[in-house]
Amino acid sequence: MKIAVVGTGYVGLVAGTCFAESGNDVTCVDVDQAKIELLRAGKVPIYEPGLEELIKRNVEEERLKFTTNLGEAVKRSLICFICVGTPPKADGAPDLKYVLGAAADIAKAMDGYRIVVMKSTVPVGTADKIRGVMKAATDHEFDVVSNPEFLKEGAAVEDFLKPDRVVIGAGDVRCAAIMKELYSPFVRTGNPILTMDNRSAELTKYAANALLAARISFMNEVANLAELVGADVNDVRQGVGSDARIGHSFLFPGVGYGGSCFPKDVDALGHTAKEHGYDFKILTATNAVNREQKRILFKKAHDYFKGDLKGRKIAVWGLAFKPRTDDMREAPSIDTVSALLEHGARVRAFDPIARDTARKIFGDRIEYAKKQYDALEGAEALLIITEWNEFRRPDFERMKALMARPVIFDGRNLYDPKRTAALGFEYSGIGVRGPSPSETAGK
Ligand code: NAD
C-alpha cells in the first residue's frame, strides 16, 4: 500500500518505519526542514531502541522516504496518516491547529479518493471537525479513520510491531477493511483489531491513558500512606497485584508520571468532560496527586537537610521521563532539579541518553556528568529519578568513596533499604520501610 505519514516525530517516524518494514511504500512528511535533512542524511533525530537500523534498512530498500513536500506525498498515497503534535493549551484542551492544518493541506493536495487516518491523540469529535475542514477544501471523496496509537516511548518499535490491540474507528466498512489489511502483519499472534465508530475510538485512547495515570497516582498515595503507617509498599504491591482482577503492571510507586502523553491526556479528558457539563473527579485527583509526587524527592532532601540546601552538591541519576528514551517532556526531573536550584543547591546530573535534551532545559544552571559515577564526586546526596537499568546494580563501595555523605533518595525503589543501610548508606525510597535519613540526620 502507498502511505503518507504527516508528522515525523516519535509516533510518525515509528509508524512510518514499521509500515515500510511490512512492505508498504511510505513517505514521511514534516514541516521541520532540519529534521527531514537529518533523516535523509541517515541520522535519527530521536532515540528509540531498534529504530535506527529499521530506518536504514527500509531507506536502502527504497520503501521509506522523507520529504517536506506534503502535496507530493499525498498525491502518491492512498492512505494519509496524521501524526502531528497535539500540545495542551492553557485550559488543558489539546491544541488542534496542527491536526486541522494538516487535514486541510491533505485535502488541498488530493487528486482523488483518500483515507485520512487520525493517529495523533485527539478529543472526541475531532474526526467530525476534520471532515468539516476537508470538505471545505476538496470536492474529492475521502474517509476519516480514528486510529489512536498506544506505543510506549522506549519500546515504541516493539509495541508498534506487536500491538496488544489495534483500534480502528471508521464509519465506512470498506475503508475499515483496508485498515485491517494494513495492520494484519502486526497481529498474527491473534491480538485483536477492534473496529468501532470514530467517537468511541477517540475516547478509548484517553480512557486508557487516564486509567493508567490514575493507577500510578493511586499507588503513589498508597506508598505515601505506607510510609506514615510503617508498612512496606513493595509487599503491599505484590499482595495487591497477585489478585488476577488487578494484575502486577503499573503498580510501582515513584516520583510521578511525566512524558508527552499522560499529563496532557488526563487534562484533555477532564476538559472534554467539563465541556459536556460533567465533573470527572478522579481525573482532577489523579492530576493533583501527580503534581505533588513530582516534588517528593526534593521534599525528602529538603527535610533531610532541614531546609538548608544552599551551596550543597546534589547528584542526580536519571533525567529522561522514563528509561530508554531521550524525551524529557513533563519529566519529574524538571520539577525536582528546578526546586533544588531554587533552594541554592548545586546539581550535577547524569543521564545515559537525555543529556542533550536536558541542556536545552537547564542550560548551564546544572553540571552534566559524562559518566554515572562522575556525578557523585563530593555530593552530599544522590537523587535517583529515572530507573535506567545501569543504576540497578551499582558499585556501592565506589559510590560511598566518591560521595561527601552516603545519602540516597531513591525515587524508583531500585535498592533494598536494609542492604543499603548495611553498606553504610542513609537510604530513603518511596513507601519502603527502612531507616529514614531524616531520623539519622546529623549522625
Ligand atoms: P512530536 O512532537 O514528536 O512530533 C510531531 C511532529 O509533527 C513534529 O516533528 C512536527 O514538526 C510535525 N508537524 C507539525 N505540524 C505539521 C504539519 N502541518 N505537517 C507536517 N508535520 C508537522 O509528537 P509525538 O510524540 O510523535 O506525538 C504525536 C501525537 O501522537 C500526539 O497527539 C501524541 O499525543 C500522540 N501519541 C504520542 C505518543 C508518544 O509516546 N510520544 C504515544 C501515543 C500517541
Side-chain angles (χ1 to χ4, degrees):
M1 289 190 208
K2 290 197 161 46
I3 298 171
V5 176
V6 181
T8 310
Y10 282 88
V11 168
L13 185 56
V14 170
T17 306
C18 292
F19 283 134
E21 177 68 9
S22 56
N24 298 290
D25 180 341
V26 180
T27 312
C28 285
V29 187
D30 208 287
V31 284
D32 185 339
Q33 180 98 31
K35 196 178 259 189
I36 293 299
E37 273 165 21
L38 210 64
L39 284 159
R40 279 184 165 164
K43 298 195 177 95
V44 183
I46 52 167
Y47 175 77
E48 200 49 62
L51 185 59
E52 195 167 344
E53 55 185 283
L54 274 194
I55 292 179
K56 194 165 172 275
R57 182 161 68 226
N58 284 284
V59 166
E60 274 169 15
E61 300 282 338
E62 296 181 359
R63 287 189 298 255
L64 182 61
K65 295 172 205 66
F66 301 101
T67 182
T68 51
N69 190 331
L70 181 136
E72 230 169 63
V74 170
K75 285 203 169 62
R76 61 192 305 279
S77 306
L78 167 67
I79 307 176
C80 302
F81 278 86
I82 299 181
C83 303
V84 299
T86 47
K89 294 194 287 191
D91 62 358
D95 192 341
L96 294 180
K97 70 172 179 242
Y98 304 109
V99 165
L100 298 177
D105 290 346
I106 291 170
K108 281 179 213 149
M110 278 166 41
D111 53 7
Y113 172 76
R114 293 292 183 282
I115 299 173
V116 175
V117 187
M118 202 48 246
K119 196 164 249 322
S120 304
T121 303
V122 288
V124 178
T126 303
D128 295 334
K129 282 191 183 151
I130 289 177
R131 276 187 201 101
V133 163
M134 290 186 65
K135 268 195 185 135
T138 183
D139 291 330
H140 293 292
E141 289 202 3
F142 60 85
D143 279 300
V144 178
V145 173
S146 306
N147 169 221
E149 181 49 54
F150 298 96
L151 63 76
K152 304 183 287 293
E153 283 179 29
V157 171
E158 209 186 315
D159 286 348
F160 200 91
L161 294 174
K162 292 181 194 150
D164 291 339
R165 79 312 211 174
V166 175
V167 169
I168 292 171
D172 180 79
V173 184
R174 257 178 333 155
C175 102
I178 295 173
M179 292 302 295
K180 276 188 168 178
E181 196 186 327
L182 176 65
Y183 274 105
S184 60
F186 306 142
V187 291
R188 290 175 61 222
T189 48
N191 285 349
I193 297 180
L194 305 164
T195 50
M196 53 185 85
D197 60 87
N198 288 109
R199 284 177 178 253
S200 304
E202 288 165 339
L203 185 55
T204 299
K205 171 67 190 178
Y206 284 108
N209 270 3
L211 187 56
L212 291 169
R215 208 161 142 122
I216 295 173
S217 278
F218 183 86
M219 276 314 282
N220 282 335
E221 293 223 274
V222 171
N224 295 341
L225 184 61
E227 279 186 23
L228 295 174
V229 300
D232 190 315
V233 78
N234 275 332
D235 292 332
V236 177
R237 175 173 61 76
Q238 296 201 15
V240 168
S242 301
D243 186 324
R245 294 168 302 176
I246 296 173
H248 288 286
S249 61
F250 267 79
L251 292 184
F252 291 83
V255 290
Y257 57 78
S260 67
C261 291
F262 285 175
K264 111 177 144 46
D265 293 352
V266 169
D267 280 346
L269 186 56
H271 190 270
T272 298
K274 213 191 236 166
E275 274 182 337
H276 289 78
Y278 185 71
D279 179 14
F280 203 143
K281 298 178 199 67
I282 289 179
L283 294 181
T284 315
T286 298
N287 231 334
V289 170
N290 196 57
R291 259 197 311 275
E292 273 186 45
Q293 197 73 11
K294 279 176 157 187
R295 286 173 66 88
I296 196 153
L297 280 196
F298 161 73
K299 277 192 210 141
K300 281 177 185 258
H302 186 262
D303 289 353
Y304 175 78
F305 290 110
K306 303 197 163 45
D308 177 20
L309 283 159
K310 208 165 164 48
R312 292 190 194 274
K313 277 192 187 174
I314 305 291
V316 168
W317 278 1
L319 296 166
F321 88 91
K322 67 173 181 176
R324 295 181 297 281
T325 181
D326 59 347
D327 198 345
M328 280 184 64
R329 287 178 282 186
E330 304 278 336
S333 64
I334 300 177
D335 303 70
T336 313
V337 170
S338 303
L340 289 169
L341 293 175
E342 272 162 31
H343 286 75
R346 291 159 58 197
V347 176
R348 187 186 285 174
F350 170 76
D351 188 283
I353 297 286
R355 193 167 359 134
D356 290 342
T357 322
R359 246 181 237 289
K360 290 182 199 144
I361 296 166
F362 301 121
D364 54 12
R365 290 185 298 142
I366 67 170
E367 284 179 64
Y368 304 91
K370 285 211 174 88
K371 292 189 185 139
Q372 176 177 341
Y373 291 94
D374 292 351
L376 302 177
E377 260 183 59
E380 292 191 64
L382 165 65
L383 273 54
I384 301 176
I385 303 182
T386 318
E387 68 276 36
W388 284 95
N389 263 341
E390 44 264 75
F391 302 156
R392 287 184 188 275
R393 293 286 172 270
D395 180 342
F396 286 108
E397 290 304 333
R398 190 172 168 198
M399 289 168 73
K400 215 162 75 179
L402 285 167
M403 294 176 74
R405 286 190 200 211
V407 177
I408 301 174
F409 296 100
D410 179 355
R412 299 294 178 177
N413 290 348
L414 300 185
Y415 311 136
D416 177 353
K418 291 184 188 76
R419 184 164 169 240
T420 39
L423 288 164
F425 284 86
E426 294 179 74
Y427 175 87
S428 175
I430 307 291
V432 290
R433 208 171 26 224
S436 145
S438 48
E439 280 164 18
T440 49
K443 278 186 192 164

